[in-house]
Amino acid sequence: MCGIVGYIGSAPHAYDVLLDDLHRLEYRGYDSAGIALVRDNGALVRVRAVGKVAALEEKLTKRAQVYAKLGIAHTRWATHGAPSVRNAHPHTAGAITLVHNGIIENFAQLREEVQKEGRMLRSDTDTEVIAHLIDMAYAQLHDLADAVRAVLPRLRGAYALLVIAKGDPKTLVAVRVASPLVMGVAADALFFASDAVAIVAHTHRVIYPLDGEIVVAKRTEGRVSYTITTEKGALRKHTPRVLKWDHTQAQKEGYAHFMLKEIMEQPHAVTDAMRGRLDSDNATARLGGLAPVEERLRTIKRIIIVSCGTSYHAGLIGAQLLQEYSGIVAEAVYASEFRYSNYLLDKETAVLAISQSGETADTLAAVREAKNKGVLTLGIVNAVGSSIAREVDAGVYNHAGPEISVASTKAFTSQLIVLVLIVLLLGRQRTMSVAMGKRIIRHLCAIPRLIETVCQHHKEIRAIARRYKRYDNFLYVGRLHNFPIALEGALKIKEIAYVHAEGYPFGEMKHGPIALVEPSLPTVVIAPRDSVYEKNLSGIQEIRARRGKVIAITTHDAVDIVKHAHDAIIVPKTLPVLMPLITVIPLQLLAYEVGVAHGVDVDKPRNLAKSVTVE
Ligand code: F6R
């Protein structure tokens, strides 16, 4: 995830402050870094480097130490364009230099527009176009804040921007919409960052600007001041809050673990995964990464999804949805099995790899095997520029931001969103009606809010986790789209809490697992009210008849399930195809809380690695 930092102060420390702050943001994950400073004489110094902040420092030390009282810097986690110096921030256009965290949805259209104005774009990013737009406005208005204000209505998407101008060593303009931004307020300096971790090293007094608010920071006669206004210019007053966090807490934004932070980030992560990709008018999805193969996709009759672990569970749901809504024959296969099996592949088959890291050895090998056999390869990958992203013929990024905790949470839900988008695209190319496409889009838009509602049940889920923490074994069961969620819930509690758990389709109980049911084996039943409600209800009664405990993940209208379960977590309802996005959240929280209760280092469980780059 990109990180931005900025400094304006009465002392010429911008260089040191910004480099230290970039180091503090390193934990967010990044592939390149850059810094821009405006000296007191108005001259701009800009340096960018691929790789670690240390590589940037090395480039900088080759130059003389720069004394400046104003500067901005950035760590980039690529979204548009591969990691490279020319794509690294800060971006400059004419007098304007800026850093950006977020995604501009309408950047393709804006790019064309500035190119028509005769502007040369030197990067593949969505950010550079903002610099050009602001520079064009600045040339007319001669005031940095006015120029930024003039451009904001043109931008669609999410952004936190820090903007400076060559020739103006006394002004920094900051603005945010749907991307994080915090300002630290000290007596003789103001600090800006995407994350309070960079701020608490300097001051604990902070202001969180609201969406659309513009901060204009000025230095006059050695004193620093700021004003905050709305986009329309109305003055806003914020009293600084005092953060009591230390450095480590700040990295986790106050959460005890990255896993919890990433669970709670899911409303945001799924929004980013669909941002700019929904085409409501045509009831379909716009996926730029698949555009080069869109015509070839029309000829595809079969899709094999290859992936591992949590990504495989997303693949299982993806395969169900593809079959239901696009008429494409689809199956999910463990990448480690695919690579050694002899799947019959032909020109009408595509292989779709799903991977958070984009580096999983088995998934990469499966992609290579498929390429070797001449079939179309596609990817759903979170890490931009990773091996799988580079090797597939076409693909879609999740845009979930880096996942730091070993257990996958926000990557999973954003993979599901991308799968639904692909299903919309392929479905509408084939059998899906406009009405169905619109219906899915409508419900998709409500998903972030519904996930937020489930996250609010955290305390209640913690209480359940504490009641069940002494059990050594669990069964997880679900049907249809919630069967892969049963597998995912079982995987999460295994890896995070070291508790043995098995996931099963609920209908399989009688064919074996029911032999295990007794008071010491709780069963987690994922059973929202849907087409298999009655079946789930009888299953629960069969467990109860054997004195088994039942924890139900269900919806408020599943009255009898709520009545018969020992514990019920009620989640909001959406279309059955989208329910996994909701039902998985309590299972992530349950595993997390049982893990914490057992004293496990949940962010780094034993024997596991975030990126499994070996077989
Ligand atoms: C589970 C988990 C793993 C990964 C698996 C695949 O929480 O994180 O099961 O899902 O190792 O990793 P990626 O998606 O990076 O290919």
Side-chain angles (χ1 to χ4, degrees), residues 533-545:
Y533 176 63
E534 305 295 339
K535 305 273 167 212
N536 285 333
L537 188 57
S538 339
I540 288 174
Q541 274 152 349
E542 283 160 16
I543 295 171
R544 290 216 54 158

Side-chain angles (χ1 to χ4, degrees), residues 300-308 311-324 326-335 337-338 341-346 348-354 366 378 380 419 423 426 483-484:
I300 294 300
K301 300 215 166 88
R302 177 170 167 240
I303 293 184
I304 299 175
I305 304 179
V306 291
S307 40
C308 305
S311 299
Y312 167 72
H313 299 151
L316 285 172
I317 297 170
Q320 292 172 337
L321 304 191
L322 278 165
Q323 302 228 126
E324 270 175 69
S326 69
I328 292 175
V329 177
E331 65 185 303
V333 182
Y334 284 114
E337 289 294 306
F338 179 86
S341 311
N342 195 16
Y343 274 79
L344 285 178
L345 303 172
D346 58 24
E348 292 178 339
T349 302
V351 167
L352 167 62
I354 306 181
L378 307 170
I380 298 177
L419 281 161
V423 168
L426 301 186
F483 158 53

Side-chain angles (χ1 to χ4, degrees), residues 140-219:
Q140 289 179 354
L141 301 167
H142 309 292
D143 179 88
L144 189 56
D146 288 348
V148 171
R149 200 184 306 282
V151 168
L152 295 186
R154 313 288 322 281
L155 307 180
R156 267 209 339 259
Y159 50 85
L161 298 170
L162 299 179
V163 192
I164 54 177
K166 183 167 72 181
D168 183 354
K170 296 186 173 174
T171 313
L172 187 156
V173 178
V175 61
R176 65 158 288 213
V177 170
S179 285
L181 180 70
V182 52
M183 174 170 76
V185 184
D188 56 353
L190 297 170
F191 305 88
F192 295 84
S194 345
D195 181 325
V197 68
I199 303 277
V200 290
H202 310 292
T203 174
H204 283 74
R205 295 179 71 228
V206 299
I207 287 175
Y208 288 92
L210 300 178
D211 266 3
E213 287 184 343
I214 302 168
V215 184
V216 182
K218 287 268 183 201
R219 195 184 57 249

Side-chain angles (χ1 to χ4, degrees), residues 259 307-313 354-361 363-364 380 382 388 403 405-409 411-412 415 488 491-492 495-496 608-612:
M259 182 179 174
S307 40
C308 305
T310 291
S311 299
Y312 167 72
H313 299 151
I354 306 181
S355 175
Q356 186 288 128
S357 60
E359 301 295 347
T360 302
T363 312
L364 183 58
I380 298 177
N382 195 35
I388 295 172
E403 216 178 35
S405 175
V406 163
S408 195
T409 52
F412 176 72
Q415 284 165 349
E488 176 59 9
L491 176 64
K492 281 278 127 12
E495 57 179 348
I496 297 308
L608 294 173
K610 185 66 190 158
S611 202
V612 187

Side-chain angles (χ1 to χ4, degrees), residues 215-233:
V215 184
V216 182
K218 287 268 183 201
R219 195 184 57 249
T220 31
E221 288 149 18
R223 285 173 49 83
V224 175
S225 62
Y226 63 88
T227 52
I228 303 179
T229 53
T230 62
E231 212 176 293
K232 296 214 163 83

